[in-house]
Each structure stands twice: as structure tokens, then as C-alpha cells.
């Protein structure tokens, strides 16, 4: 199964470069259908670039605080110089929704770019 999800430019680029291998989401109705072995097609908001990754692991937690404690910061998109702070996720999700649904870490592998929708993909790579 292939799922479609939107990403802002910064996390999109980190996943594309392999710097972020775990995408963080609410464990809402849409994410409850994601299974290991499925694919996710990410769309970069505002520009329409797309990439596809295979789900190779799923990590469920009650909240982002617990998730940030358990998962390596570099895998969720933080560099050594920047401090991982679970409160960063409040930009995207309310505390009420986090309490209601819980959270999910989606580990990704096999990132590929869609040559028709991604400008950095050269003809020699197709």
C-alpha cells in the first residue's frame, strides 16, 4: 500500500538526503493504517516535489516527550549541534491531539525521487 503525506521543505530535504530516517506523526486514524513494508509518497508543501520511501519500522508512544527520549536525535532530524526538543512538535500538533491519539515514529528506507516531479533528479539517474 502507498500512503501520501505532506512535508515542509526542511524535513523533506533531510529525508531526501538520508539525514532523517524517522518521520514523526500523530497516531491518528490515517497513520493507524500504515504497516511495515508499505510505501509513503511525501510531497514537499508549496513546490510539489515528491519522493517515495518504504516503511521499515514503526514506533508507537503516548507522547513526543517519551519518543524523543527513546529515539536517536539524528534519526528524527536533529544535528549534533542542535538540541532535540519534543516541544518542537507543538508547532504541528496540539497537546489535546497528542493526548487523544498518541504518536508514531515511521522509520524509512529506500528513498527514491520521482523524476517527473523532482527537479534535482537528472536524466542519467532515471
Amino acid at each position: 500500500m502507498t500512503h501520501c503525506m505532506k512535508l515542509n521543505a526542511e524535513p523533506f530535504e533531510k529525508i531526501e538526503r538520508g539525514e532523517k530516517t524517522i518521520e514523526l506523526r500523530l497516531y491518528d486514524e490515517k497513520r493507524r493504517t500504515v504497516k511495515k513494508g508499505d510505501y509513503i509518497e511525501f510531497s514537499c508543501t508549496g513546490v510539489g516535489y515528491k519522493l517515495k520511501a518504504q516503511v521499515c519500522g514503526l514506533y508507537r508512544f503516548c507522547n513526543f516527550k517519551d519518543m524523543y527520549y527513546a529515539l536517536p536525535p539524528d534519526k528524527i532530524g536533529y544535528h549534533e549541534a542542535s538540541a532535540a526538543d519534543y516541544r518542537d512538535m507543538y508547532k504541528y500538533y496540539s497537546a489535546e491531539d497528542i493526548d487523544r491519539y498518541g504518536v508514531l515514529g515511521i522509520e524509512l528506507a529506500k528513498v527514491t525521487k520521482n523524476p517527473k516531479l523532482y527537479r534535482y533528479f537528472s536524466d542519467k539517474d532515471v
Side-chain angles (χ1 to χ4, degrees), residues 3-126:
H3 307 271
C4 296
M5 296 183 194
K6 294 179 183 177
L7 276 174
N8 290 329
E10 183 180 356
F12 182 92
E13 291 169 4
K14 286 181 180 182
I15 289 172
E16 186 267 328
R17 291 191 304 262
E19 296 172 7
K20 179 180 179 180
T21 58
I22 300 175
E23 172 59 14
L24 311 181
R25 297 288 170 133
L26 279 182
Y27 191 56
D28 57 9
E29 291 86 2
K30 183 176 178 182
R31 260 50 74 169
R32 289 174 197 260
T33 65
V34 176
K35 306 286 184 236
K36 189 174 175 181
D38 286 355
Y39 288 88
I40 299 174
E41 184 175 80
F42 291 104
S43 298
C44 187
T45 55
V47 291
Y49 303 144
K50 293 185 178 188
L51 60 83
K52 193 173 194 178
Q54 187 172 26
V55 177
C56 64
L58 297 167
Y59 307 96
R60 285 189 55 211
F61 293 89
C62 292
N63 55 57
F64 286 112
K65 183 177 182 179
D66 293 345
M67 179 182 280
Y68 271 56
Y69 181 76
L71 298 178
D74 60 320
K75 291 189 180 274
I76 60 174
Y78 290 89
H79 295 291
E80 291 178 23
S82 63
D85 188 342
Y86 71 93
R87 291 172 289 213
D88 291 344
M89 298 307 293
Y90 292 127
K91 303 185 255 198
Y92 309 106
Y93 305 114
S94 69
E96 294 80 20
D97 282 345
I98 294 167
D99 288 342
R100 180 178 176 194
Y101 296 111
V103 299
L104 182 68
I106 305 169
E107 190 164 10
L108 307 168
K110 296 184 181 179
V111 174
T112 57
K113 301 169 208 149
N114 184 330
K116 295 178 183 172
L117 298 171
Y118 200 85
R119 68 177 173 172
Y120 300 115
F121 209 100
S122 69
D123 291 340
K124 67 180 179 163
D125 295 324
V126 176

